[in-house]
Amino acid sequence: MRRIGRCDGHELAPVPRTPCQRCVCRSRAIEGIESRLQPGESLFLNVDPHDFSDPAFNEREVKYPERVVIEITERTAIRDYPKFREQLRAFREIGFRFAVDDAGSGYAGLGSIANLEPDFIKLDISLINGIDTNFIKQSLVETMVKFANDHGAMVIAEGVERAEEFKAVKDLGVHLVQGFFLHRPSTLPPVVAPAAVGR
């Protein structure tokens, strides 16, 4: 798994605080995805829940919606789930998929997963760090993988930094991983040796 143009404190730039700044980040990330993505690859785009109320952000902004996964980044709480689900519906109907980002941290809890019915569940680094020696974390991740399998979703482990963590999440059935063990943040596509992934 790789990302292009993430706009937050972990990779390319400081967290965009205003709607205008987030709009610029979205536009830059989306720009030219048809030439920057390889066949079968998708762009994971971080979006704050408040952005769905911004008229500048609409489902027609992207030329290839089926190649975009919108990561719901809950830095603020979603207060009205029925209204928010209705806002997501127009995006989903034309091909966008959704991910709950940083699941297990802050506002991104079980309620968000149950209410948003995401296509991807991104487990926060706090659940992945040291998972190879923490049986409670292993049990939680295993439960989340089973839930995802039962509901047609995929689990992504964030922050995999060591071979032992990679083996642990792989053995637990996690579908996708991201982290320094595979590649450091870059504006260029990473090349990951098949032997490193072992799939």
Side-chain angles (χ1 to χ4, degrees):
M1 176 184 176
R2 72 181 174 93
R3 295 167 167 268
I4 296 175
R6 177 169 172 175
C7 291
D8 66 21
H10 296 297
E11 293 195 3
L12 299 180
V15 176
R17 297 295 182 184
T18 69
C20 182
Q21 290 173 325
R22 293 195 296 268
C23 181
V24 170
C25 280
R26 285 197 309 267
S27 298
R28 289 293 303 274
I30 293 166
E31 197 173 79
I33 62 171
E34 67 274 16
S35 61
R36 296 167 66 191
L37 293 177
Q38 299 299 315
E41 290 184 335
S42 298
L43 169 70
F44 280 68
L45 183 67
N46 289 77
V47 176
D48 186 278
H50 290 129
D51 290 347
F52 287 90
S53 301
D54 179 2
F57 181 51
N58 63 75
E59 69 275 14
R60 303 294 170 187
E61 186 178 356
V62 178
K63 188 175 179 181
Y64 300 98
E66 69 281 358
R67 305 201 70 178
V68 176
V69 178
I70 296 178
E71 292 189 32
I72 307 301
T73 306
E74 293 187 67
R75 294 190 174 95
T76 54
I78 298 172
R79 302 191 185 281
D80 187 342
Y81 276 110
K83 180 180 178 181
F84 190 63
R85 282 199 305 270
E86 187 63 25
Q87 291 172 323
L88 298 186
R89 189 167 61 84
F91 286 80
R92 196 182 287 278
E93 284 178 350
I94 65 167
F96 285 94
R97 291 171 293 163
F98 291 91
V100 168
D101 196 17
D102 299 330
S105 172
Y107 294 113
L110 296 177
S112 295
I113 294 168
N115 281 289
L116 301 180
E117 301 177 18
D119 303 282
F120 299 90
I121 301 168
K122 300 192 68 179
L123 300 179
D124 186 68
I125 189 173
S126 62
L127 286 175
I128 304 304
N129 184 259
I131 191 171
D132 51 305
T133 59
N134 189 312
F135 297 115
I136 293 176
K137 290 182 179 182
Q138 291 172 20
S139 181
L140 287 170
V141 170
E142 187 175 34
T143 299
M144 193 61 70
V145 168
K146 183 181 185 307
F147 171 87
N149 288 338
D150 289 346
H151 294 275
M154 299 181 79
V155 172
I156 301 171
E158 295 187 294
V160 176
E161 299 185 350
R162 298 183 295 112
E164 294 84 357
E165 292 168 345
F166 178 81
K167 183 179 185 306
V169 298
K170 181 181 175 184
D171 290 346
L172 291 167
V174 169
H175 305 95
L176 298 167
V177 301
Q178 72 178 74
F180 291 169
F181 175 68
L182 295 178
H183 197 269
R184 292 270 172 177
S186 172
T187 56
L188 298 175
V191 177
V192 179
V197 179
R199 289 197 179 206

